[in-house]
Amino acid sequence: MATSSGNGSIFCSQQSPEYGAAEKQVNRSRNKQLRDLFPDGFGIHHAGMLRQDRNLMERLFSRGLIRVLVCTATLAWGVNLPAHAVVIKGTQIYDAKRGSFVDLSILDVMQIFGRAGRPQYDTFGEGVILTTHDKLSHYLSLMTQQTPIESQFIQNLTDNLNAEVSLGTVTNVEEAVRWLSYTYLFVRMKANPLAYGISYTNAQKDPDLEDFRRELIVAASRQLDEARMIRFEERTGYLHPTDPGRTASHFYIKHDSVQVYNEFLKPLMTESDILAMVAKSHEFDQIKVRDDEMSELDELLDSVCPLPVPGGVENSYGKVNILLQTYICRHRVDSFSLMSDMAYTVQNAGRILRGLFEITLRKGWPLMAGKLLELSKVVDRQLWPFEHPLHQFSILSKEILHKLEARSLSVHRIKDLQADEIGRMIHHVRMGKIVKQAVYQLPSLELDAAIQPITRTVLRVRLTISPTFTWNDRVHGTVSEPWWIWVEDPENHHIYHSEYFLIQKKQVKTEEAQTLVFTIPIFEPLPSQYYVRAISDRWLGAEAMCAISFQHLILPERHPPHTELLDLQPLPVTALRDPSLESLYNFTHFNPIQTQIFHTMYHTDTNALLGAPTGSGKTVAAELAIFRIFREYPKTKAVYIAPLKALVRERIEDWKIRFEKKLGKRVVELTGDVTPDMRAISQSDVIVTTPEKWDGVSRSWQTRSYVKAVTLLIIDEIHLLGEDRGPVLEVIVSRTNFISSHTDRSVRVVGLSTALANARDLADWLGINQLGMFNFRPSVRPVPLEVHIHGYPGKHYCPRMATMNKPTFQAVRTHSPLKPALVFVSSRRQTRLTALDLIAFLAVEDNPKQWLHMPENEMEAVIKHVHDNNLKLTLAFGIGLHHAGLHERDRKTVEELFVHQKIQVLIATSTLAWGVNFPAHLVVVKGTEYFDGKTCRYVDFPITDVLQMMGRAGRPQYDDQGKAVILVHDIKKHFYKKFLYEPFPVESSLLSVLAEHLNAEIVAGTITSKQDAMDYITWTYFFRRLVMNPSYYELEDADHDSINTFLSGLVEKALLDLESCYCITTAEDNRGVEPQTLGRIASYYYLSHYTVKMFRDRMTPTTTMKDLISLLSDTKEYAELPVRHNEDALNSELAKHLPLEVDPYSYDSSHTKAHLLLQAHFSRQQLPSTDYLTDTKSVLDQALRILQGMTDVTADEGWLIPTLSIMQLIQMAVQGCWSNDPSLLNLPHIQKQHLQCFRSSNGRPIQCLPELMAVCRQGPHILRNMLGDTLSPQQIEQVFKVVQQLPLVDVAMSVVGWWDDNPDQQQTKPVTITASRRKTDSEWIKVHADQQYVLQVNLACLNKMGKRKAHAPRFPKAKDEGWWLVLGDMDKRELLAMKRLGPIRQQRVPLAFYTPEAVGRYLYVVYLMSDCYVGLDQQYDVALEVIPADIQTQVNSEVVGE
């Protein structure tokens, strides 16, 4: 129009360099209309254009190079492009959903007019609206009056309600009605009810619109129930989420679409059927077929689409299907509207296919799950499954890929070929290497599945996953590759187990195999095989499969029935017939289980096994057996073995009061933390200990009289035989039976456990007859237990835990509104997150502090003394936290408050279930997995732990019923359903550590030949279970010869292992076995044989302190040190502040963490979290034992320097400092700034502890003069007290032996001790060459007597003083003799040594090394002049030596 009227120039921009550059850019565009309009100063902008074209138009218009921009209404919202004038041409737009034209909303008009007027340039803007006459007054009135914005929420109410139900925030109609009151819809409904179809009469009757809201919710719930997205119980109003509903919520799929899938989704469908179904999704409703697109769509259908398209081009779902296939084929479309529709289609299709994959996975349809996962990757990668997988590598050109496809070179074939062969085949030699690299970068795994039958219906699968590809950060990213793993039954087309698995970059780089353990059901008759399939979540053509064959599977025997609980009259405590024993109990009658076992426990010596659920009073059974030996065998001992230190402590606290104070019987604790002296153990009546400690002690049973004096062995929680620490229990019992058979006194064994499936095997092994076996049902509890199990979906752990918080809150509200409740979680972080969420739920209640059962002012007084900030917050709401990271006092406070019912809810980590007996009315187990630092994955708790947690529900004195709510990952729900109601069979774990236990028995002399080793295995529980369940232990046939061959192979392998670790030697006849020094060291110090092998292999005569710290942290004993989630980042940060470097790629390694914790301990470095304090304690707990073993290895080799270095390292571990730090810093309150204050009366600086000890002999006033200005009098008093306690040892030495001047008489020649290293002739002691002499060292402690505990505030437990006496040749760096000593009082220590064969002068050195103090070591020279040998004196010394 402008051109025809001759006014075209008014729209043209002025020519300029900028205009020229813009013109070039426009001419490069594919859009012809854009190119044609630009010279006239016009531009266009709509959603159908390419993104770069739209950006170009926006840029040119904002610079003024285009004067008029003709655009769709969406530009007003999307981009801020102000103009002087805005024209709205027509006010009707096409609504695809309605299929007709509708009026432009007033909001759009206001937004468009808002673009008129440029703030920097214009003083006003102009807006023009062109519409029909009948709409003019409508728009005029709307623009002059302010129009309220109405809510459109009702349109999507159904989908939003589903999201809330899936999330757990809405669980019933009442909550949903309340949820609606928080919406803007509710605000507008109250303000303008007519707009929402509510009459004024109804609005006045129901001002809060509760009935209308209920109608909306019920209608939406019915729709969702019809679509199977929720289960709606109209009678009760409960709304339960379902898997399709959760998946739809997660993937943002509409409920109408789910209705479509319910109709069309089947277990077997072709790819074509799947795409046709996806195209019918309601997400694509707004896509319409336009007449101008028909011809192009026809062409695409004929020439591009590889799959048939139902509905053709006339229907919108046919168009969606065509566009999706065109996108996958990477074909370009010409029409801009098709481009826009294609982008929208692809965005939604990928999401929908993922959602459908999860739905079919949950339904257990293997073929459909595989196809849907493949199709979702097809859309992501724009690659059909029939194309070559190497299309996914952009580095390879199309030409190369076509050649590979033409040659039919599969991935496996390319892997087999050499790079140059590939190059020749594709006629591009240089690219051969690149193709080969790409093939190895395509993710691939090797699977190996081993099966173990647990019962006749449940199979445990141990799947070993080995990565077989090369990691490249550009291709795979820097973190991990995700895979889906499932087990399918090909005959029934069903998935029995599936999980999402991440393989980490580090695991691929180190080619480290990963192990997954899970359970699957099995049915009789046995199927031929199952398949385990692994499919990459991101890569096409990346799959692995292995078959699980049942050909040689032998199912275990059926388990015998349980002991029936007899209907007996409860026995009164007077049946004990001893008033002193009766007074120990605060009840009058024993419970039914205790009544039934009373006679066996109290009146017989028969071995007994009591299997009963947690909370049924098994400890009383143990006490009855103990009372019997008090009465019948008063001079003997009872040993009570509990699996955890916390359980030992609980027994000690209880029995110290009841047995010691009331009965006068001595009870001692024997654990890693507390090691009493031999006299205390010898005089004790009851020893309470842990399995490892008793194993270590009883290994030397021949030399320990108190082990032989044991007549009763009680093993609590004996069902833990099947767990990691089970082998130790197994060995203890086997050894006890062996000791009984070799001594005249038999040992009674009493086993306590939860209800067992295979109690008969356990009883046979323990030597228990029918009289002593009691194995009650899990349901036989003094307080009946009601169990609820709920499954929650979600492949990621943390979001899944978050969805469990609302159910946890509701469980407390429903099952235990006023009674105490225990919530078990997997980690310290989860205790905090759970508590904060529970507080958030309480905040919306009428009484947010309903769980606090004490006056608020009293609680505030308690909170003032609490250290932990999170605990301060939660206690105010009546919620306690309990985990190992809490301060000891905080933990005690929480325990007190919960026990006395001042707070109602306690959130604890799982260890509390074992450690402290806090029964509650309700137990909630929130999640049954924990993070395993070794595998960097979440793994399941042992079933025994879950049973133990459940066992805390129901308080015998207060409740007539206990409640347990177990919240689990939905895929594990059936497993827990099965084993929480029927007992779990106990299998042996001895095989994994057989070599270590054989070594201990070889050292003890129990095993002297291979035949003995075979016989020893027949004493074990492992042997009983091998016969009963051979397939579990990978034995294919259960006949006598097969078992013999199998056992022989096990023994051979274990002994070979020990021999390769230098622990034993095999006799020449290949039958006998003898212990070696390293084997003795491993057994004595309770070390792994691999640890002592590493000492032997890695230590040399020149090993440095840095090497020793590295060696210590690399031992097998630290392999289990937990590296929790994200702790690799904390380790990386901690390493920056420590002196010794570690491998920067191993921050997620247990050994590296041990190395860093040791350094931090020596450097007194601030640790990043309380977890690290607990971990440091466990590292130090083991360090001394390992280092003492290391000392013995180097001493045996005769290496002086490493031995002294290890001794210094032990001092460092005990004192928490580096060996070169000033020793004065180990005194209390002394910091580096105080060191300059230590000066003697003449002004000389005091630099070490001996100097200070000498000065302080004059009295405390000396210290006050030095430190009075910097420390308080009380602090100075503490420093003085410690200085006074430090051992002051006097040393005198003499050489004892024979000399030729008096060959028949043994002589003693004193060693002159001088400060100078220069010796006068008289100080050289003459000794004969090649003859044994004894260096007699007299030691006397000058300052205190009695039991000496070291001052070691940074060491986690009390430490007795100890010393080493070492004789060495400094010139040759050779260790000649070594003795380990306890606390020194007054003693004479002989050190035997041989003189050198060559005559001459030798300067030997005696070292007196402390094993706990830095800076108190003493060193003395022994000057020897070797004279020629004398036969007579040599003979005499040898005779005496013999």
Side-chain angles (χ1 to χ4, degrees), residues 505-543:
K505 172 184 174 179
K506 184 187 169 206
Q507 293 159 357
V508 178
K509 289 269 191 189
T510 56
E511 296 180 6
E512 184 185 336
Q514 298 301 300
T515 306
L516 272 186
V517 180
F518 50 86
T519 55
I520 55 172
I522 188 160
F523 309 98
E524 294 186 63
L526 290 176
S528 56
Q529 58 186 23
Y530 286 173
Y531 291 134
V532 182
R533 202 180 288 277
I535 305 178
S536 171
D537 189 55
R538 290 175 48 211
W539 293 81
L540 280 162
E543 290 186 25

Side-chain angles (χ1 to χ4, degrees), residues 384-600:
W384 291 102
F386 50 76
E387 294 180 279
H388 204 287
L390 292 187
H391 276 281
Q392 295 166 101
F393 291 88
S394 55
I395 194 169
L396 300 176
S397 67
K398 280 187 179 178
E399 184 192 352
I400 299 290
L401 291 162
H402 287 317
K403 285 178 181 173
L404 290 172
E405 285 173 334
R407 289 269 187 171
S408 302
L409 288 175
S410 68
V411 168
H412 296 295
R413 176 94 192 281
I414 297 171
K415 281 185 177 179
D416 293 338
L417 295 171
Q418 298 295 322
D420 54 344
E421 288 179 294
I422 299 166
R424 284 197 297 275
M425 291 177 92
I426 58 174
H427 308 300
H428 197 315
V429 176
R430 198 167 51 81
M431 285 300 290
K433 186 180 176 186
I434 294 168
V435 170
K436 184 88 172 169
Q437 282 173 351
V439 154
Y440 275 103
Q441 284 169 9
L442 186 70
S444 58
L445 301 177
E446 250 179 36
L447 304 179
D448 183 37
I451 50 173
Q452 298 174 310
I454 295 174
T455 66
R456 293 186 77 83
T457 55
V458 177
L459 206 60
R460 179 183 289 149
V461 179
R462 192 175 294 275
L463 184 66
T464 307
I465 302 168
S466 311
T468 54
F469 64 100
T470 312
W471 191 279
N472 181 340
D473 286 354
R474 287 183 182 174
V475 176
H476 307 103
T478 57
V479 185
S480 59
E481 273 292 342
W483 291 76
W484 285 97
I485 289 173
W486 65 67
V487 180
E488 61 183 64
D489 177 353
E491 290 174 15
N492 299 317
H493 297 296
H494 191 77
I495 294 174
Y496 289 120
H497 175 85
S498 65
E499 67 182 271
Y500 184 72
F501 175 80
L502 289 172
I503 193 147
Q504 308 289 332
K505 172 184 174 179
K506 184 187 169 206
Q507 293 159 357
V508 178
K509 289 269 191 189
T510 56
E511 296 180 6
E512 184 185 336
Q514 298 301 300
T515 306
L516 272 186
V517 180
F518 50 86
T519 55
I520 55 172
I522 188 160
F523 309 98
E524 294 186 63
L526 290 176
S528 56
Q529 58 186 23
Y530 286 173
Y531 291 134
V532 182
R533 202 180 288 277
I535 305 178
S536 171
D537 189 55
R538 290 175 48 211
W539 293 81
L540 280 162
E543 290 186 25
M545 191 184 79
C546 79
I548 301 176
S549 171
F550 300 123
Q551 198 175 348
H552 298 293
L553 182 68
I554 305 169
L555 292 177
E557 297 295 321
R558 294 191 190 280
H559 301 305
H562 291 280
T563 308
E564 290 300 326
L565 185 64
L566 305 177
D567 188 11
L568 301 173
Q569 189 73 28
L571 204 61
V573 291
T574 50
L576 291 166
R577 298 194 181 140
D578 184 337
S580 61
L581 298 180
E582 292 161 29
S583 68
L584 299 180
Y585 295 108
N586 58 4
F587 50 81
T588 56
H589 288 75
F590 292 110
N591 72 25
I593 290 176
Q594 293 159 354
T595 299
Q596 192 164 334
I597 63 168
F598 182 85
H599 177 79
T600 303

Side-chain angles (χ1 to χ4, degrees), residues 645 649 671-674 693 1085 1112 1117-1118 1158 1161 1173-1188 1213 1354-1358:
K645 287 180 191 170
R649 218 163 294 127
T671 61
D673 292 349
V674 183
K693 198 70 183 175
Y1085 292 109
L1112 169 61
E1117 281 63 24
Y1118 291 134
L1158 285 167
H1161 176 63
L1173 290 169
T1174 321
D1175 294 338
T1176 303
K1177 182 178 180 296
S1178 73
V1179 166
L1180 293 173
D1181 265 354
Q1182 311 223 52
L1184 295 198
R1185 172 167 68 83
I1186 300 168
L1187 287 169
Q1188 285 170 338
R1354 287 178 183 82
F1355 196 67
K1357 54 190 180 188

Side-chain angles (χ1 to χ4, degrees), residues 851-871:
W851 294 345
L852 181 65
H853 303 306
M854 64 190 285
E856 285 191 43
N857 56 344
E858 285 182 29
M859 179 51 87
E860 281 167 19
V862 171
I863 288 172
K864 280 179 188 168
H865 301 290
V866 170
H867 291 75
D868 190 274
N869 289 329
N870 294 308
L871 190 56

Side-chain angles (χ1 to χ4, degrees), residues 1279-1395:
V1279 174
F1280 181 73
K1281 196 174 173 188
V1282 170
V1283 173
Q1284 289 292 90
Q1285 285 178 345
L1286 292 174
L1288 187 59
V1289 181
D1290 182 56
V1291 179
M1293 295 183 291
S1294 53
V1295 177
V1296 179
W1298 272 264
W1299 279 265
D1300 58 357
D1301 56 352
N1302 190 356
D1304 300 326
Q1305 186 71 41
Q1306 195 175 34
Q1307 300 178 52
T1308 302
K1309 298 196 176 182
V1311 176
T1312 310
I1313 295 175
T1314 58
S1316 168
R1317 295 217 71 181
R1318 287 190 175 179
K1319 305 292 178 187
T1320 60
D1321 286 348
S1322 62
E1323 289 171 6
W1324 290 91
I1325 298 173
K1326 289 187 170 60
V1327 288
H1328 291 290
D1330 194 23
Q1331 185 175 320
Q1332 188 182 33
Y1333 286 90
V1334 174
L1335 181 67
Q1336 199 89 49
V1337 184
N1338 295 322
L1339 302 170
C1341 187
L1342 303 178
N1343 59 337
K1344 71 166 189 178
M1345 303 298 284
K1347 196 172 182 184
R1348 307 196 69 127
K1349 289 286 179 193
H1351 169 74
R1354 287 178 183 82
F1355 196 67
K1357 54 190 180 188
K1359 168 87 177 75
D1360 288 332
E1361 281 178 14
W1363 300 83
W1364 284 282
L1365 203 55
V1366 179
L1367 176 66
D1369 182 342
M1370 204 58 204
D1371 294 336
K1372 292 182 181 172
R1373 300 188 166 192
E1374 189 182 344
L1375 185 142
L1376 303 170
M1378 184 180 89
K1379 275 274 171 69
R1380 182 173 285 129
L1381 314 171
I1384 294 172
R1385 295 177 180 84
Q1386 191 139 7
Q1387 61 200 96
R1388 178 177 294 173
V1389 184
L1391 287 176
F1393 66 97
Y1394 273 92
T1395 52

Side-chain angles (χ1 to χ4, degrees), residues 162 165-168 170 229-231 239-243 245-246 792:
N162 175 54
V165 173
S166 299
L167 201 58
V170 168
M229 293 168 75
I230 66 168
R231 287 202 319 276
L239 305 170
H240 303 284
T242 64
D243 285 334
R246 288 194 189 102
Y792 292 86

